[in-house]
Amino acid sequence: MTVADALNIVAKGLMIGGGFIGPGIGIGLIGGNYLQAVGRNPEASKFLGQALIFVAIVELFGLLAFASIFIV
Amino acid sequence: MKIYFGSGPIIHVAPGSVMTLFGIPITNSILYGWISLVLISIVLIYASRKSKIKPIGGIVQFIEIGVSFIIDFVHSSFEDENLGKKYSPYFVTLFFFILFNNWLGLLPIVGEGVVSNGYPLLRPFTGDLNATFGMALITMIVVYFSSIKESGGIKNYLMHFFVGTPKNPLYLIIGILEMITDFTRVISLSLRLFLNVAIGEIVIAVFSYLGHFLAPISALPFTLIELFIGALQAYIFTVLSTMYLAIAVNHATDHVSKKSKRIKKGSKSLVGGN
């Protein structure tokens, strides 16, 4: 394994690790705030579908980071 | 003994051509797209023929639940009742097309099991960027044309990008930026669906490779997750495209019908979100 190959693997690891931090925080915030809203007002549980939409919007950026490892 | 040990999981991100028809290369994703198109048409036509007031159960009832779910959502997102009736067929079609394509892509015959010409013979139709880009493009064309038509002219439609009057330079720049961000919707819609399906395929391939001879057990949880994600992505694609249409149409009709009232009241700006 040459140095370039090793650097390639390290770069892919950093890319996945760094790229998943943001969506991880985002999905955690969405889920936590949803549960908090349900805890305060149990009738808010009908908004689970809308919370999932925002989860999908946030998730896109993590998936972009995942897909980028096939390009480098 | 090197039966279970490959050099790594076989991964294809892009579709490949598996055969040629009259000199035109046919990719594996469009081949499976045609097959699933026929299957989806048969199932949906059967369900619509068998649909009765008394529920008969089975796949017909499942499809009825999905149809009424999407129709209720589309009706509630439009302010006008007739508009919901007018546009709900398109979104119901979109939902079922994506849903069944996602789920048919999880069948065992799809993927690396059957290989032709160096590529898997069948590939999920939504796991191809060309397919999802086409769907997103058609959806956004429908959205643009209908919102121009419902708002009564291209000038009224363009006005809804501006918060206040476009003569103010700040509002002008904000409005132009809004127009540019509008075009990213095609890319984000198509990339979201494509990446979810394609990465799901990759994850299943990786975990069935890691499982060696226990591949059916190690890949099972991810296949189940993909079942859920396939349904969720179909729902999200439908909901987001409905939202894009509903926001433009509601806002535009709002402008036309309430403009005179608001000017009489003396309100300065017609504030609206994106």
Side-chain angles (χ1 to χ4, degrees), chain A residues 49 52-53 56-57 59-60 63-64 66-67 70, chain B residues 11 13 191-192 195-196 199 202 232-233 236 239:
Chain A
L52 285 177
I53 290 169
I57 290 172
E59 194 188 36
L60 173 67
L63 296 179
L64 283 177
F66 191 97
F70 297 107
Chain B
I11 289 169
V13 181
L191 272 182
R192 184 175 300 121
L195 287 177
N196 268 295
I199 287 175
I202 290 170
L232 185 66
Q233 290 305 317
I236 282 164
V239 164

Side-chain angles (χ1 to χ4, degrees), chain B:
Chain B
M1 284 289 281
K2 282 200 118 185
I3 298 170
Y4 302 119
F5 298 91
S7 57
I10 310 163
I11 289 169
H12 287 115
V13 181
S17 73
V18 286
M19 59 173 82
T20 51
L21 196 68
F22 308 118
I24 302 165
I26 305 291
T27 61
N28 41 17
S29 60
I30 194 74
L31 183 68
Y32 198 53
W34 286 335
I35 295 172
S36 38
L37 178 66
V38 174
L39 289 177
I40 293 166
S41 311
I42 290 170
V43 168
L44 289 185
I45 290 171
Y46 170 79
S48 66
R49 292 273 184 281
K50 286 276 179 181
S51 180
K52 292 195 182 86
I53 293 175
K54 251 188 188 176
I56 58 171
I59 194 165
V60 179
Q61 197 170 3
F62 165 73
I63 288 172
E64 276 178 7
I65 291 169
V67 168
S68 66
F69 179 62
I70 298 295
I71 284 182
D72 282 347
F73 176 77
V74 174
H75 276 233
S76 66
S77 57
F78 285 102
E79 283 170 2
D80 197 347
E81 186 77 10
N82 293 327
L83 282 176
K85 226 174 249 177
K86 195 169 156 188
Y87 290 115
S88 50
Y90 177 73
F91 293 112
V92 173
T93 315
L94 201 62
F95 176 72
F96 276 105
F97 187 67
I98 297 171
L99 180 72
F100 281 120
N101 266 312
N102 285 348
W103 281 357
L104 286 172
L106 292 172
L107 291 178
I109 51 164
V110 184
E112 308 289 341
V114 189
V115 178
S116 152
N117 213 353
Y119 285 102
L121 183 63
L122 300 172
R123 184 186 167 83
F125 184 61
T126 41
D128 178 3
L129 185 56
N130 303 307
T132 56
F133 192 78
M135 277 192 265
L137 201 63
I138 290 171
T139 306
M140 288 317 286
I141 287 172
V142 168
V143 166
Y144 287 137
F145 269 84
S146 339
S147 40
I148 287 172
K149 207 178 84 185
E150 298 299 336
S151 54
I154 197 161
K155 188 165 171 287
N156 281 332
Y157 173 67
L158 288 180
M159 281 300 285
H160 103 268
F161 287 107
F162 300 103
V163 182
T165 166
K167 279 169 190 163
N168 187 327
L170 180 65
Y171 291 156
L172 183 69
I173 290 169
I174 290 173
I176 288 170
L177 279 178
E178 284 287 321
M179 285 178 196
I180 293 168
T181 44
D182 224 52
F183 288 110
T184 60
R185 286 171 174 178
V186 181
I187 299 165
S188 73
L189 268 183
S190 57
L191 272 182
R192 184 175 300 121
L193 183 55
F194 159 68
L195 287 177
N196 268 295
V197 177
I199 287 175
E201 288 281 307
I202 290 170
V203 167
I204 290 173
V206 166
F207 275 90
S208 49
Y209 165 73
L210 289 177
H212 282 214
F213 56 89
L214 289 176
I217 299 171
S218 65
L220 183 66
F222 296 94
T223 316
L224 293 178
I225 286 177
E226 278 306 304
L227 267 180
F228 171 68
I229 287 182
L232 185 66
Q233 290 305 317
Y235 173 65
I236 282 164
F237 195 98
T238 318
V239 164
L240 284 179
S241 44
T242 315
M243 281 294 166
Y244 294 155
L245 182 59
I247 287 168
V249 168
N250 287 343
H251 197 194
T253 47
D254 201 41
H255 262 288
V256 174
S257 59
K258 293 177 185 168
K259 209 175 202 175
S260 49
K261 269 186 210 167
R262 291 197 181 175
I263 287 170
K264 267 179 202 168
K265 277 182 190 169
S267 79
K268 277 177 192 168
S269 62
L270 304 168
V271 181
N274 181 18

Side-chain angles (χ1 to χ4, degrees), chain A:
Chain A
M1 183 182 280
T2 61
V3 177
D5 286 346
L7 278 178
N8 196 357
I9 292 174
V10 172
K12 281 178 182 175
L14 281 177
M15 190 183 274
I16 286 199
F20 273 40
I21 288 175
I25 295 171
I27 293 174
L29 282 175
I30 293 169
N33 283 333
Y34 170 75
L35 284 178
Q36 210 170 28
V38 173
R40 283 172 191 267
N41 177 15
E43 284 179 9
S45 60
K46 66 187 173 190
F47 294 119
L48 179 62
Q50 296 184 6
L52 285 177
I53 290 169
F54 285 105
V55 167
I57 290 172
V58 172
E59 194 188 36
L60 173 67
F61 300 103
L63 296 179
L64 283 177
F66 191 97
S68 316
I69 68 165
F70 297 107
I71 300 169
V72 295

